Amino acid sequence: MNLKLVFTDKEITPWSGMIFMKKLLNQTGIFTELIKRDLPEQGSNRGYDPIQLITSFMVSIWCGANRFEHLEVSRFDDVLRRIFGYKKMAGHKAYQRYFKQFTIATNQQVFTKVIQWFFEQIRLDNYTLFVDSTVLTRYGDQQGAKKGYNPQKPGRNSHHPLLAFVDECKMVANFWRRSGDAYTTNNFLSFLQDTINRLKGKKVSLLRADSGFYGKEIFDFIEQRDINYIIVARHYATIQRKVASLKSWFVLEDGLEVTATTYQSDTWDAP
């Protein structure tokens, strides 16, 4: 292979593909939507425009940033600055100062409307909604990080957020951060109601969840809203005996068989 080495005085960047992301953002109309929302205002005339901070924050993430210090990747790239038409790029401290102005109430007010707007653009209905929780290990002193269930780093502080995402369009519908010592179902019903509100005008045809969300209170909540659901059963002894007694199984492939049955717990009103 013949390689040609060339020197140039022109400014270059490994992120030239961001010009297509700029065109995508313009076409979606997200900037117009954000301007409508009551975003926190800067306390100083020297503060960066909130739309610029939000945009360059997304750009930095697309460029690989996963912590505030990494936001400098966009600050010192003059080609990126010119692609997005900014006079100068903000340092990572500017993002931290601005995002601290977002309270729980502000987040709820702004992002509920933005997410509703987003899903209104999708010409698709009858969603499959996945809900789950995860463990995010934290280092240092981060707000809300506490010791709890952490299989990867036992004893480490963590957050235990709830997530909901729509399978058909592979998009997150909701995310609630919780302290690391929160149980899986803590505030889940409020989270689920908030998620349904964010999907305003869309029908949730099927909800799927793992055994962490197995419980009568949750079943009743979903059934009252006429939503079909698949939730993994916890392997209580009664469930194990029920499964062990089943004889008719349909073989899908080696090691995978399915069957159907009904079951009614002593605390349930119906099977």
Side-chain angles (χ1 to χ4, degrees):
M1 178 182 296
N2 294 322
L3 298 178
K4 184 179 179 180
L5 299 179
V6 178
F7 295 89
T8 179
D9 293 331
K10 295 181 179 180
E11 295 170 336
I12 61 174
T13 178
W15 314 117
S16 57
M18 285 298 113
I19 192 170
F20 298 108
M21 302 306 293
K22 174 64 163 59
K23 292 180 179 180
L24 173 64
L25 289 173
N26 290 340
Q27 291 177 0
T28 61
I30 182 64
F31 299 126
T32 303
E33 179 63 23
L34 287 172
I35 291 172
K36 294 179 183 177
R37 304 303 155 205
D38 293 327
L39 297 173
E41 297 181 357
Q42 294 283 33
S44 169
N45 293 332
R46 298 177 60 190
Y48 287 89
D49 178 66
I51 302 298
Q52 175 182 343
L53 290 175
I54 293 172
T55 304
S56 52
F57 182 74
M58 291 190 292
V59 171
S60 297
I61 292 174
W62 289 332
C63 292
N66 58 19
R67 61 180 59 190
F68 278 111
E69 288 84 352
H70 296 171
L71 297 175
E72 300 295 325
V73 69
S74 59
R75 181 185 185 186
F76 294 108
D77 194 308
D78 199 53
V79 177
L80 275 179
R81 179 189 63 78
R82 286 191 286 173
I83 286 176
F84 286 88
Y86 299 137
K87 292 182 178 180
K88 61 178 181 178
M89 302 292 275
H92 71 277
K93 293 291 185 181
Y95 298 94
Q96 290 177 301
R97 287 193 298 269
Y98 182 66
F99 291 152
K100 283 180 179 179
Q101 298 184 48
F102 281 84
T103 64
I104 293 177
T106 306
N107 286 336
Q108 188 70 12
Q109 176 185 345
V110 172
F111 292 106
T112 295
K113 293 296 184 181
V114 171
I115 291 175
Q116 286 177 346
W117 167 83
F118 172 83
F119 282 101
E120 285 173 0
Q121 313 308 307
I122 301 176
R123 297 179 182 178
L124 180 68
D125 208 344
N126 296 322
Y127 288 160
T128 300
L129 186 69
F130 287 79
V131 293
D132 201 357
S133 65
T134 188
V135 175
L136 302 176
T137 302
R138 300 303 191 190
Y139 301 92
D141 184 18
Q142 297 199 30
Q143 185 180 15
K146 295 183 179 180
K147 293 181 180 179
Y149 174 70
N150 191 340
Q152 300 298 325
K153 298 284 186 178
R156 290 278 189 182
N157 287 342
S158 63
H159 284 117
H160 190 189
L162 284 168
L163 305 94
F165 49 98
V166 177
D167 183 57
E168 285 77 7
C169 57
K170 311 300 181 187
M171 290 298 299
V172 173
N174 206 353
F175 179 99
W176 277 17
R177 190 180 70 169
R178 303 180 300 176
S179 61
D181 59 352
Y183 185 65
T184 300
T185 56
N186 280 16
N187 297 324
F188 176 70
L189 296 184
S190 297
F191 171 81
L192 189 54
Q193 183 61 60
D194 182 51
T195 303
I196 294 172
N197 292 340
R198 291 183 177 217
L199 297 175
K200 178 183 177 181
K202 301 294 184 178
K203 178 177 176 57
V204 177
S205 298
L206 177 64
L207 183 144
R208 296 180 60 182
D210 63 20
S211 60
F213 302 96
Y214 178 94
K216 181 179 184 301
E217 187 179 21
I218 294 175
F219 300 156
D220 291 344
F221 180 90
I222 299 171
E223 290 170 2
Q224 289 169 6
R225 286 152 183 79
D226 196 28
I227 299 175
N228 296 316
Y229 60 94
I230 299 173
I231 297 180
V232 178
R234 290 178 180 169
H235 287 184
Y236 296 131
T238 51
I239 297 287
Q240 293 181 31
R241 287 195 296 269
K242 181 71 174 180
V243 173
S245 67
L246 301 175
K247 304 300 181 184
S248 299
W249 293 84
F250 180 75
V251 180
L252 295 180
E253 59 182 60
D254 186 28
L256 182 60
E257 303 175 20
V258 298
T259 189
T261 187
T262 58
Y263 169 77
Q264 183 172 353
S265 167
D266 293 338
T267 62
W268 296 356
D269 301 324

